[in-house]
Structure formats: structure tokens, C-alpha cells
Amino acid sequence: QDFGKCPRLRLFTQEYILALNELNAGMEVVKKFIHSMHGPTGQCPHPRVLPNLVAVCLAAIYSCYEEFINSRDNSPSLKEIRNGCQQQCDRKPNLPLRLLHTSPDLVSQEATLTESRLKPVIVTSNEIHVEVERNNTANQKMTANVGNDSEPNLIDCLMVSPTCSTMSIELSAQADRILGCYVEILKMLSDYDDWRPALASLLQPIPFPKEALAHEKFTKELKYVIQRFAEDPRQEVHSCLLSVRAGKDGWFQLYSPGGVACDDDGELFASMVHILMGSCYKTKKFLLSLAENKLGPCMLLALRGNQTMVEILCLMLEYNIIDNNDTQLQIISTLESTDVGKRMYEQLCDRQRELKELQRKGGPTRLTLPSKSTDADLARLLSSGSFGNLENLSLAFTNVTSACAEHLIKLPSLKQLNLWSTQFGDAGLRLLSEHLTMLQVLNLCETPVTDAGLLALSSMKSLCSLNMNSTKLSADTYEDLKVFL
């Protein structure tokens, strides 16, 4: 039957499946019902069965979030839900990063430098900055470096903002049971090879309300379906992971690092990239898209030995996707940090000798680690090549701790260090204060440092800018630092 012509029949089927689910061993009964709808052969003989079942599932899942949808003025209409709706994740981090006299590499997208000379800072309980002016010459030099820097901001290019959720979704017990039942049916449908192409096509526009996409339980359960699409070798199936049109997120975006549904640091993302690149998507356009939007996750996964991501980085070098020399050098260092990366990079260099020449010119002057990088990732990267020229390092929004300080002190030219929103603490600060004598800019915003560690910074005579926003700095220590610095 066509549910468009018989809407009551859709509701009847929905209630019938729920009744089956309430029986003892309910999901097994539902599974047998789905199997009977498909038929015993490899090909379902009834063309309307799958779209009807999907329509039932979509309507049931929508009903689970109806209370949340009706309570929000900006929620999509039912027509929008049926046509496909996506979750937007435009929320910025709670606190803007503000550094004094620094280059754009250590400033977030919200930070701006509108004055060539900043005025003294008023101290409040939540925002504490220390500005130290050594002499006009030093300040003019730093300001000049900012103004003349025309290369892309590596933080903007590489850093993936932490996944943000603007909603708190908690379903009632009844709605939770309904959701579990119908998501399980979608998972069953994706297990049938003959149904998978049509199912992928029906789900490509993401026909779920944004409230569902903001609900961790829903996206976690639906992930099984997306994995089945990613594992399917047929282009008609896995191509449905991509968005239906430019500017609108598809499943590829939602389940990639930084996407609203990602919960695995990129495991599913790597699978999706592998299958898409193995199809007709091995093109410069696809690589450009990855470089512009997902370079950070690609580099982090390659650093951890993921072969697909190693291949992606090699292709980016081979296709001349990356123009910035520092970024190219960081990619090379990432490749050389693992055995598989080293082997593939050597093969690439045999074809393009100019890459070796680029590396011989010296290491990068700027470096940004992707979000969620660990102490081990940093150690692996820094041990892969020469970083004697490194002057600017951003570890913002990574998972590094004070343990990484033993690697940071081996960077003799380091002048700017961004530790915003990391777990870098007092022990690391004490080590830095003893060794990094050339450090000029240090960002400790939203770190667990305390007075004990911050007082150690009084020995750093080259320090010109220090951001201690949202730390445990006391007023007394602030006054002491002003005297020493």
C-alpha cells in the first residue's frame, strides 16, 4: 500500500510494531516480522515494503522528539523534517582567546588585533592578563611581524573545534522504548543487501529532526546503519554518505571528527574516507575538501598509524593541495613518525624529488597539533624530524599534560606557545621556566595552573605576553608577577 494515499494504515502499522515489541522477546518478534515482510529470497519481491517501513520508522522517531520540537521556535516544520533537516553546530567556545602582542597563529577566530598598542588591562576575577613591555623596539618588532604575516592561520586550517551540543535531550521512558524499537528496525533494514541501496538513498537527506541529531543515544545507535553504508562496496550506497547538495551536511560530515555525531575520534571517518577514495572520489576536489575542513583529524589519525590517512596525506602532497610550506613540513613530519608513513613518503619522494629538497631547507617555523592530540602524539611527531627552527607552537584544545614539557624544552627557538584549554599544569610550567629562555608569548587560558606554577614564570625574562584567563591565579600572585615581570 502507498501510505501517502492511506495515512491511517501507516499509523496502524506503527502501533502494530510497537505492540509486537511489548511482547516477551519483543525485538525477536519484530525481527521475524521484518523478515516476513522481506521474504525468504535474497531479493524482496515487494517494491513498496522498504519505503513503507522507513516511513513508519521516521514518523515514530519524529514523535519521540515532538515535545522538544514544539517547545522550540527555531525547530523545523514537519515538512522540513520530511524533506531532510540537519543539525547546525555554530556555537563558539565559551571564552574568546585574547593574547597581547601576538601573531594570528595563536589567536582564535573570534580574537582580533585592532590596536597596534594595547592599553593596560583591568584585572577581574575571571579575566586576568599580564602585559610586560620590555622596550618599544621589541614591541614594534612583534607588531610588525603580525602585520606582515600573510600566510594562512594554521589554527584555523588544522584545529577542529570541540564537538558542541546546544541541547540537552532526555526522553521519557515510553519515548525511549519507541526510539529503541524503531532505530533497531533501521539497523535490521540495513542488514539486507538488496534493501541497502534504497535505504541509503532514503536516508541521504538526513530526514531526522535536529533534536534527534543532538541526542547522543540516537546518533550512537544509528551509527551502525552508517557503518553498513560505509562498508558497502557499491557506489550507489556509499555515495549517499555525502550531502545531497553543497553547503548542507551529510552523514560524512556529521560522523567525522568535529561533527555533532562523532564519538570515536575518527574511526568511522577513516572508514568513510577509505571507501569514498577507493571509488570515483579520488579527485583533487575531494582532497581539497578534506584539506580545508578535516586536515586536523587526517593528520592525527595518520600520526596514530591509520593507513588510509597516511595515503590521504601523501596524495595531498602529490596533488599539491597544500600551499603553505609550514603545513607541508608538518605533514611530512607526521608521515615520518610511523613505519607505514615513512615507507609511503619515501615512495612519494622517489616520484617527486622536490619534496626532499623542501625538507632539507629546515623544519617548520609554526606547528599546530590537531584537537585531541595526546602527549604521545606530540612526542611521536617531534621525534620524526628536525624542529630546531620552530618558533610558534599551538597545542590548544588538545589532551596534552605537563608530561609533554620534557619534549617542549627540546625546542630551542620556541617563542610562542599556546596551551589554551589543555591539562598542562604547574609541573610543566616549572620545567618550561628553566629551559625556554626565548619564550615571549605564553597562553595558559583555561588550564589547571595555580600560583605555585605561575610564580616560576618570574624567571622568564623574555616573556612579553601572558594569558591567564580562567586559571586559579590569586590577586597576590598577580601582583608578584607584575613586580618580577
Side-chain angles (χ1 to χ4, degrees):
Q1 294 289 335
D2 184 349
F3 285 168
K5 298 177 181 178
C6 305
R8 292 182 180 275
L9 186 58
R10 179 196 57 74
L11 186 59
F12 172 79
T13 307
Q14 182 177 331
E15 295 295 334
Y16 177 72
I17 290 176
L18 282 177
L20 293 180
N21 189 51
E22 293 297 324
L23 299 174
N24 291 332
M27 283 314 302
E28 285 300 316
V29 179
V30 172
K31 187 174 183 178
K32 290 179 181 177
F33 171 73
I34 299 298
H35 183 69
S36 68
M37 291 295 96
H38 178 276
T41 61
Q43 294 289 327
C44 178
H46 311 294
R48 291 297 313 169
V49 168
L50 177 67
N52 283 349
L53 286 173
V54 172
V56 169
C57 291
L58 295 182
I61 291 171
Y62 178 87
S63 71
C64 295
Y65 299 96
E66 200 159 13
E67 178 183 347
F68 295 94
I69 292 170
N70 293 337
S71 67
R72 296 182 181 275
D73 294 334
N74 63 342
S75 296
S77 66
L78 183 58
K79 181 179 179 181
E80 290 172 328
I81 297 301
R82 287 170 178 163
N83 291 339
C85 162
Q86 67 200 45
Q87 163 72 15
Q88 298 292 338
C89 189
D90 296 326
R91 184 179 173 191
K92 298 292 190 295
N94 291 330
L95 290 174
L97 170 62
R98 287 183 283 176
L99 287 174
L100 308 177
H101 298 303
T102 184
S103 70
D105 295 286
L106 292 176
V107 183
S108 69
Q109 293 178 358
E110 292 186 3
T112 56
L113 291 175
T114 57
E115 298 178 318
S116 62
R117 182 178 178 83
L118 297 179
K119 298 178 180 179
V121 178
I122 298 176
V123 180
T124 67
S125 58
N126 293 326
E127 298 185 13
I128 301 178
H129 301 263
V130 173
E131 178 182 5
V132 184
E133 294 189 9
R134 294 301 169 194
N135 53 61
N136 290 334
T137 304
N139 288 327
Q140 289 171 1
K141 181 178 179 181
M142 294 187 71
T143 305
N145 287 341
V146 173
N148 295 332
D149 187 5
S150 61
E151 293 189 14
N153 184 337
L154 288 184
I155 288 183
D156 293 343
C157 293
L158 301 180
M159 189 183 76
V160 178
S161 298
T163 301
C164 55
S165 176
T166 58
M167 307 177 195
S168 177
I169 304 293
E170 205 168 312
L171 301 181
S172 65
Q174 175 65 9
D176 200 57
R177 285 197 299 273
I178 294 174
L179 180 69
C181 172
Y182 284 98
V183 173
E184 196 64 32
I185 290 176
L186 288 176
K187 291 160 73 173
M188 293 177 195
L189 299 180
S190 70
D191 284 331
Y192 288 92
D193 287 344
D194 61 318
W195 274 352
R196 204 174 299 131
L199 178 64
S201 180
L202 290 169
L203 296 187
Q204 184 179 16
I206 311 186
F208 300 104
K210 62 182 180 181
E211 285 76 7
L213 298 176
H215 188 198
E216 184 179 355
K217 180 177 180 180
F218 173 76
T219 55
K220 189 172 184 178
E221 290 297 318
L222 194 69
K223 183 178 178 181
Y224 177 86
V225 177
I226 307 306
Q227 284 176 320
R228 297 293 283 159
F229 294 163
E231 293 165 357
D232 197 295
R234 290 169 292 186
Q235 183 187 336
E236 59 184 313
V237 176
H238 60 243
S239 64
C240 291
L241 295 170
L242 299 173
S243 56
V244 290
R245 62 178 180 269
K248 180 175 182 179
D249 284 350
W251 295 113
F252 177 77
Q253 286 82 11
L254 291 183
Y255 278 93
S256 63
V260 69
C262 181
D263 63 354
D264 58 7
D265 288 344
E267 182 180 339
L268 177 56
F269 169 68
S271 299
M272 291 190 287
V273 170
H274 175 76
I275 193 68
L276 290 170
M277 288 296 291
S279 184
C280 65
Y281 299 96
K282 196 172 183 178
T283 63
K284 191 169 184 178
K285 182 178 179 181
F286 187 70
L287 290 171
L288 277 169
S289 176
L290 287 178
E292 291 172 359
N293 303 299
K294 299 297 176 183
L295 184 55
C298 289
M299 293 180 67
L300 182 57
L301 289 167
L303 195 60
R304 294 174 178 176
N306 184 279
Q307 184 165 338
T308 297
M309 293 305 155
V310 168
E311 293 173 357
I312 290 294
L313 294 185
C314 285
L315 284 170
M316 287 181 181
L317 293 176
E318 188 166 10
Y319 281 66
N320 294 317
I321 299 297
I322 308 296
D323 295 327
N324 183 279
N325 280 356
D326 279 336
T327 308
Q328 289 179 350
L329 288 168
Q330 184 173 347
I331 289 176
I332 291 170
S333 297
T334 300
L335 291 172
E336 292 199 323
S337 65
T338 62
D339 291 338
V340 61
K342 194 177 299 184
R343 184 177 68 253
M344 290 189 182
Y345 177 62
E346 287 175 355
Q347 293 171 353
L348 175 59
C349 287
D350 288 340
R351 301 193 297 272
Q352 295 191 348
R353 282 295 165 190
E354 60 270 21
L355 287 175
K356 275 294 185 184
E357 182 61 29
L358 172 68
Q359 193 174 11
R360 273 196 290 267
K361 292 178 180 178
T365 58
R366 296 178 297 177
L367 184 65
T368 299
L369 253 68
S371 174
K372 298 186 179 181
S373 298
T374 64
D375 294 329
D377 296 325
L378 176 62
R380 195 178 301 118
L381 182 62
L382 294 181
S383 65
S384 64
S386 173
F387 290 92
N389 295 331
L390 189 64
E391 296 181 358
N392 187 322
L393 174 63
S394 175
L395 303 176
F397 301 105
T398 63
N399 295 330
V400 300
T401 67
S402 291
C404 75
E406 61 182 86
H407 304 290
L408 298 180
I409 62 176
K410 299 175 183 177
L411 302 171
S413 302
L414 196 62
K415 295 179 181 178
Q416 300 184 21
L417 178 60
N418 187 351
L419 294 166
W420 185 20
S421 193
T422 65
Q423 290 302 306
F424 196 91
D426 293 341
L429 279 187
R430 284 191 284 268
L431 201 55
L432 296 187
S433 66
E434 295 172 2
H435 294 84
L436 294 184
T437 57
M438 297 182 63
L439 197 66
Q440 297 175 359
V441 177
L442 178 60
N443 182 9
L444 298 172
C445 179
E446 297 184 52
T447 59
V449 296
T450 67
D451 291 349
L454 291 168
L455 280 173
L457 300 178
S458 60
S459 64
M460 302 183 74
K461 302 306 179 184
S462 296
L463 202 59
C464 296
S465 177
L466 177 60
N467 187 332
M468 295 174 288
N469 227 6
S470 300
T471 65
K472 297 178 181 179
L473 174 68
S474 68
D476 289 341
T477 300
Y478 171 72
E479 294 299 327
D480 291 340
L481 284 174
K482 283 203 302 184
V483 171
F484 284 112
L485 297 178

